[in-house]
Amino acid sequence: MNNLRMHILVCGGTGCVSSDSKAVHGRFVAELAKHKMDKEVQVVTTGCFGFCEQGPIVKIYPDNIFYTKVAPADVELIVKEHVVKGRVVEKLLYHDPEKGTSEAEHRHIPFYKSQMRIALRNCGIIDPEKIDDYISVDGYAALGKALESMTPDLVVEEIKRSGLRGRGGAGFPTGLKWDAAKKAAGAKKYVVCNADEGDPGAFMDRSVLEGDPHSVLEAMAICGYAIGADEGVIYIRAEYPLAVERLRIAIAQAEEYGLLGGNILGSDFSFHIRINLGAGAFVCGEETALLNSIQGSRGEPRTRPPFPAQKGLWLAPTNNNNVETYANICPIILKGADWYSSIGTEKSKGTKVFALAGKINNVGLVEVPMGTTIREIVYGIGGGIRGDKKFKALQTGGPSGGCISNENLDLPVEYESLASVGSMMGSGGMIILDEDDCMVNIAKFYLEFTVDESCGKCTPCRIGNRRMHEILERITQGNGTMADLDELKDLGEIIKDCSLCGLGQTAPNPVLSTLRYFYDEYEAHVKEKKCPAGACKNLLKYRVLPEKCIGCTLCARNCPVSCIEGERKKAHVIDSEKCIKCGVCYSKCPVKAIVRD
Amino acid sequence: MHELKNADQKYAQLDEFIDALPEKDGALIMTLHKAQEIFGYLPAEVQNHVAHKLQIPASKVYGVVTFYSFFTTKPKGRFKINVCMGTACFVRDSQKVLDEITKELQIKVGENTPDGLFSLDALRCVGACGLAPVISVNGKVYGRVKPEDVRNIVEEHMSMGGNDDE
């Protein structure tokens, strides 16, 4: 390592891999060999840098230069200019669209400025497939400290004092959970990691596992030591092959180094971790359903109590946390609870990772201190709305959460404040919606998801959500009544009250919150049979403005059902009886003579 | 009903996996993953075989297979097209891309083309939200797909049709 003068970090997260970062890595290796520099410059594949919008990302150390949207064809230039001659390749730097300037260092880029990385501390810095990289950034030092100088009680106490709460969505205090599992009687106990990130549009946990798998393994071992467990299970989605692969490598390396397995670091504490693949059921993110799934059964939730801390996996006391929660553990042990609890707000401590997606300029993964406002996340970090459209809503918590409207943009992000406006922290998905998104349609989209994913065990969820979905279907087709809106609300409240598990108890949230903040859109669908955003096909009508039409026949030639008629150079007419509202004519018309209303 | 190709060899491979399991209790999902990897899908006879080997009722196997969306009881096409219908892709018009594919291939979600070349499924989030909307064909991700790109992607694979790339 001593004679290496430069490191080239290439992002190996799923987003960047999808835009060909593996080929970028390959080209770097080849180009460096060509220049006979492969001994002095090393190419490293790292975890996610977070700025997926600008991927593939390449960062060069020690110069600290941050290149964006690097195509395999750009590599030759970077090597020739930057690596050989030390000249920064201007055109591949990040361009600030507001200021019109280029930024060479990532800390000056607005996307990174107000972020604070605890859970993602090593993502984009170390090679996730090399345990030595992890150890060089204090990896396994927390486990060492716990085993050497802390009693299990002290570990639990430290986590309690830190104020860390569950990052899977519900926000239960992590220390209390550990305490309950510790106090539960039983010779055999389990530590479970919930990596069944099912919320569509959220990829926080995946990025941690892909970018820094050891941090989760180490935290699980610390938890095992604290509660008296010798076995850990990671339940992970089969749809995350890269994360599974990196976890497998990490476990094998940790076992080889004696950091997992029997008598860790010479102590009498032993801890083994195995991976359990999920099979595509959203409900398995619910902790008791997850336990059933690990046992090889249908992922149906259990009635609580008894809680998993008393009777969990194979009815033994079990502690279950999600990936991001575990990713916070080692820094707390190393730097102390006082440090951690100094970050964030009174009731929500530390940081939270969010996956920003949807109609926003900077799609990516961000980590901010609790208490950061939604405005800062959307406009500061996220860079505002795509294509200069108007912000309409922010959806948090996925199918369990709700929509936050314009009026609540200055809300600080914390568990209680989000719940107070009918949404929730959730696991960290943040979808930004603009003026073109119909809130009724979005609510229907989420409900379709929960109807599909309901396990069917309890009636309110299985049947109630289906009825709600039917009502929304009616409304978006223009057949809704005002009584339907009241019915939606009543039914939603009943489902929340009566469902067995978290899935059913939160399933009506997207509908209830949009009813609360976007009632006028529902009304427009029902009373005027109109979709203000122009998203609900059945409520749309296309017509030609005769004074604007130049009779170019482009629309008629492209119409898939031939419902547009008219002579060349004369105004055309759409037969609305035959029209299937596909919108092709609308997008093809060169003079904007076709309108939608 | 499709004939299973090289059935004996495949069953032998599956049995080897099951026999090597340290613990049969709770191993059903793991075994089904393996079986689907070997056979490509899980028809009734494979489910029965798994039930017999793990000594559990076939009804339990069937219950688990049909509960999880990852398992399929029908064979898939040579090219598995998955359209991401996660929220990020949905709000960036993945529905239009999906509609275009159903039109182009003349099949619905969950179906195969008659020649067995393509199968079409909708899935929830591949995690490449920065590239939304995305589709994947046999795991290869296509980002920022527009409805008008669909024909090219389909034709690209049709031309590979005769060659098994897996």
Side-chain angles (χ1 to χ4, degrees), chain A residues 195-196 234-240 244 275-281 284 290 293-294, chain B residues 29-30 33 68-71:
Chain A
D196 190 51
I234 301 175
Y235 184 87
I236 182 168
R237 298 180 74 192
E239 290 90 338
Y240 285 175
V244 174
I275 298 172
N276 212 301
L277 288 190
C284 290
L290 183 147
S293 186
I294 294 178
Chain B
I29 292 177
M30 222 185 303
H33 269 296
Y68 294 98
S69 62
F70 201 82
F71 298 129

Side-chain angles (χ1 to χ4, degrees), chain A residues 225-246:
Chain A
Y225 172 70
I227 69 168
D230 65 350
E231 193 175 341
V233 182
I234 301 175
Y235 184 87
I236 182 168
R237 298 180 74 192
E239 290 90 338
Y240 285 175
L242 190 59
V244 174
E245 173 66 16
R246 290 197 176 144

Side-chain angles (χ1 to χ4, degrees), chain A residues 14 18 53 200-201 203 206 237 278-281 293-299 357-360 363 386 433 445-446 449 452, chain B residues 25-26 28-29 33 60 63-64 67-71 85-88 90-92 124-131 141 144:
Chain A
T14 293
S18 302
E53 184 71 44
F203 46 97
R206 196 202 62 217
R237 298 180 74 192
S293 186
I294 294 178
Q295 293 176 199
S297 303
R298 289 165 70 101
K359 307 285 183 64
I360 191 152
V363 169
R386 250 168 201 259
L433 307 171
F445 165 79
Y446 279 115
F449 181 87
D452 209 34
Chain B
D25 231 10
L28 176 56
I29 292 177
H33 269 296
K60 166 149 189 181
V64 167
F67 185 85
Y68 294 98
S69 62
F70 201 82
F71 298 129
M85 291 297 280
T87 323
F90 178 76
V91 300
R92 289 202 195 168
R124 316 275 192 206
C125 202
V126 296
C129 307
L131 303 174
V141 174
R144 302 192 174 107

